[in-house]
Every structure is written in C-alpha cells, then in structure tokens.
Amino acid sequence: MDKEKIITLAIESSCDETSAAVLEGGRTILSNIIATQIPIHRKFGGVVPEIASRKHIINIMPVIDEALSKAGKTLDEVNQVAVTYGPGLVGALLVGVSAAKALAFSRNIPLIGVNHLEGHIFANFLSSPDLKPPFVALVVSGGHTSLVHVKDYNSFSLMGQTRDDAAGEAFDKVARVMGLPYPGGPQIDKLAQEGNPLAIDFPRALQEKGNYEFSFSGLKSAVLNYLNSMKLKKIEVNKADVAASFQHTVIEVLLAKAMDAIKETGCDTLVLAGGVAANSSLEKRLRETTAKNKVNFYYPDKILCTDNAAMIGCRGYYQSLAGKYSDLYLNAVPGLALQDLE
Ligand code: KG4
Ligand code: ZN
C-alpha cells in the first residue's frame, strides 16, 4: 500500500482531553476532534482523576464518530489505530486504550501504542511539513520537562529532564496560590504581559554548563515564600510583576539549556513541544535567540501544542513505518518515560 495513503485513526485520553483524529499518511490531518473537560475540573482547581475517567467513557465513542465523519471516512477505510498508552492518569488512559484495542480487534487492523511525550514532539511534523530530524526537542508540558536529541523518526536520546516539578506544573501551582483559575499557564501568560519581568529576582536551579536536568520546585517555593512574606508585612503585591518575573525565570532556564543542547549535539534546529509551548513569551524569546544564533526554530500551531489525537496519529504513523506495532495485551502505563530509542 502507498504509505502516503495509510489512514490512521488516533485516540488520546491521557488527562482531561478526550480526542480522536484521522490522518492520511503521516502529515495530513483529515480531522482532529478535542472534547475538553477543563470547565468541569476548574471548579476543583485541578484535574480530578475519577471524574476525568468517567467523562472519557461518556465522550470517547461520540468523539471517534465525529472524527470519522468529519474526515469523510468509515471504519472500513481505517488501516490502523494509534493510541496514547502513557504517561498520564491510569483510569483516563485505560478508556482510550480499551477503545483502541476493541477497534483493532474487531476490524483486524494493527494497533500502535504511542508515548504521549513523543506525540508532543511529533506535533511539529504536522505544523511544519518541511521539518526533518535531526533536531533538539524541548518538551514542556504539564507533567514533563525534557530535552531530547531526536536523531531520526525512531531514534531518540534523552539529554535531561526535570528532577521534580515540570514547568507547566509550576505555572499551574503558582497561578493557584495567586487565586487564578485552572489551568494556570495561560492565566500567568496573560497577566505577565502587564508586568515587569525583572521586578523580582527568583532563583534558577542547576545552572552549571552541560547539565540538562531541570528543577522548578525551588522556584515555585520561592514565589510562594515571596507572596507569604509580603502578606505578613501587609505589603500589597503587584501580581502582574510576580507573574512576569516567575515566567521570565522559567523561560531563561529553558532557553539557556536548550541553546547549550544545540551546541553539544551540533544540531542546527530547535523544536518546541508540549502545552507550555503555547506560552507567547517563551515562543518569542526562543524565536529571537535562535534567529540570532542562526538556528532553525519550529513550534506547533496552538491547537497542536496542548493535548490532541492528531499528534498521536503522527507519531503512530512513523512507528508503523518502522514496524513498531503493539499487541492486544497493550496496557496503560501511567509512569511511562521518554527514553532513549535506537
Ligand atoms: O501538554 P499538555 O496539554 O498536557 C500534558 O501533557 O501535561 O500541557 C498542559 C500544561 C498545563 O500545565 C498548562 O498550564 C500549560 O500546559 N499551558 C501553558 C500555556 N498554555 C498551556 N503554560 C504557559 N503558558 C501558556 N500559554
Ligand atoms: Zn500533553
């Protein structure tokens, strides 16, 4: 079969978005339906796993049906099913994995288990048809922060990741103590635009050259301590300055390590991935710095930055070209990591 004509049905349910997509070949999105649960979880200030699982169960079949009908395809025309099997919330992942296994079994078509974090990186292939490995990927999502040397479509090397909180997690927690609604990342992004990024000097961890690990829990505590001490002293804080200074610190750490990783690998291309890639200042700062250093820079369209099934379909397609299929024993792996792949 012509590989450009392969129809992949992809499913994503790792956190609070139920999504299904249909791709033709590796890079053409025929549909990408995303049912978000954000308004439901906002009341609780964060994702409630039990509620997420129940909502996925309700949403999964209608979302798949809608993805097929929007793509103008029937199940008979689907050649393979790709699904996120980790990392994520176990109950949430299980809904997508079970649906994908049922479809693959009943239609007798291949099943492809996809690592969600690899999916985030591959969102860039959908947004940028000219992008090819090798490159360095900076993955910044709600649960993970990593630098990955992507040598080829199926060959990666993990350069470093966070020792504690992920960048997105820090955004969400800082926003929460500042009384901003969930998810906090976009709220901080907005508020920061009115603040002075140099107003408060927050600490940066693991600054030594050649260290590609991240740590954001000290920064998070420093922001909380700052807010508490101001409260005790009865000094009114400028929330926009706090948001801007916190965001600036995160961005400068990400930027410095990403540029070092570019030098160390000899790559001429930097790729941004994950929900925090939607941050306007991060994208702007990386774009300016890469341009100054004659490094190519790619980041996904906003809708492909946060969780969606199209990116899972793209990753699944490239796995299938390498014969990396799963069997029907595929299970959810909540703690699945980004690993070296040869
Ligand atoms: O990749 P993602 O959709 O889910 C995970 O796989 O974790 O990322 C969600 C994270 C949340 O922490 C959210 O606050 C953050 O991405 N985020 C942002 C922005 N939009 C989403 N962080 C900073 N600025 C944004 N504009
Ligand atoms: Zn994600």
Side-chain angles (χ1 to χ4, degrees):
M1 180 179 184
D2 177 358
K3 57 187 190 196
E4 294 306 320
K5 295 276 170 237
I6 294 176
I7 299 292
T8 305
L9 171 65
I11 299 172
E12 154 66 38
S13 70
S14 65
C15 190
D16 56 355
E17 261 98 32
T18 321
S19 180
V22 178
L23 264 67
E24 184 173 58
R27 300 194 181 201
T28 306
I29 303 174
L30 300 183
S31 64
N32 186 24
I33 307 298
I34 306 165
T36 183
Q37 306 176 6
I38 286 177
I40 298 162
H41 298 286
R42 187 170 283 147
K43 290 193 260 274
F44 305 97
V47 180
V48 183
E50 176 68 18
I51 297 176
S53 313
R54 287 167 189 265
K55 290 288 167 195
H56 283 308
I57 291 172
I58 293 167
N59 290 339
I60 192 86
M61 291 320 294
V63 164
I64 291 173
D65 282 344
E66 195 181 336
L68 287 167
S69 89
K70 180 138 188 244
K73 298 286 173 195
T74 63
L75 263 185
D76 287 336
E77 293 169 281
V78 172
N79 303 113
Q80 54 189 18
V81 185
V83 65
T84 302
Y85 75 104
L89 302 166
V90 65
L93 288 164
L94 275 173
V95 177
V97 168
S98 308
K101 281 174 21 175
L103 287 169
F105 176 68
S106 60
R107 296 278 147 176
N108 197 22
I109 51 177
L111 174 71
I112 310 154
V114 173
N115 180 321
H116 179 83
L117 300 169
E118 295 176 5
H120 272 302
I121 297 173
F122 277 59
N124 281 282
F125 292 126
L126 295 170
S127 290
S128 305
D130 59 320
L131 175 64
K132 286 191 196 85
F135 52 76
V136 168
L138 172 63
V139 185
V140 271
S141 75
H144 295 82
T145 304
S146 331
L147 272 166
V148 187
H149 183 191
V150 178
K151 298 174 187 165
D152 207 341
Y153 292 101
N154 288 292
S155 169
F156 316 137
S157 151
L158 178 67
M159 300 184 73
Q161 58 188 332
T162 183
R163 287 192 190 170
D164 40 58
D165 289 3
E169 203 174 344
F171 269 93
D172 293 340
K173 286 183 182 164
V174 165
R176 196 169 169 165
V177 292
M178 286 170 63
L180 301 169
Y182 174 84
Q187 305 284 334
I188 296 265
D189 189 357
K190 213 161 94 194
L191 189 58
Q193 283 165 23
E194 297 150 31
N196 172 8
L198 304 176
I200 310 151
D201 192 16
F202 288 126
R204 300 172 192 191
L206 307 172
Q207 287 298 283
E208 45 307 348
K209 282 263 171 234
N211 184 336
Y212 299 108
E213 289 190 302
F214 300 90
S215 167
F216 291 110
S217 80
L219 169 62
K220 178 191 69 189
S221 305
V223 177
L224 303 198
N225 289 343
Y226 173 83
L227 292 170
N228 283 337
S229 74
M230 289 296 159
K231 200 170 163 188
L232 285 175
K233 291 182 206 155
K234 297 194 172 26
I235 301 174
E236 194 170 340
V237 293
N238 180 329
K239 282 192 180 176
D241 281 353
V242 177
S245 301
F246 158 75
Q247 180 174 283
H248 173 75
T249 310
V250 174
I251 291 175
E252 292 309 307
V253 168
L254 294 172
L255 175 78
K257 291 192 186 250
M259 294 310 290
D260 281 355
I262 285 283
K263 264 200 210 114
E264 173 155 337
T265 56
C267 285
D268 64 359
T269 303
L270 177 67
V271 156
L272 183 59
V276 184
N279 184 278
S280 43
S281 305
L282 173 62
E283 177 261 300
K284 183 164 172 271
R285 191 78 177 93
L286 286 176
R287 183 159 33 81
E288 287 166 357
T289 311
T290 47
K292 214 189 285 168
N293 289 280
K294 301 205 168 21
V295 170
N296 306 310
F297 175 56
Y298 294 87
Y299 66 99
D301 296 338
K302 275 225 158 61
I303 192 68
L304 296 171
C305 284
T306 42
D307 293 349
N308 68 89
M311 68 184 195
I312 302 303
C314 179
R315 175 67 194 122
Y317 169 83
Y318 284 102
Q319 277 178 235
S320 73
L321 293 189
K324 290 176 182 290
Y325 298 108
S326 307
D327 60 27
L328 291 172
Y329 291 99
L330 181 71
N331 204 351
V333 182
L336 187 66
L338 250 177
Q339 274 166 348
D340 291 353
L341 196 72
E342 288 308 331

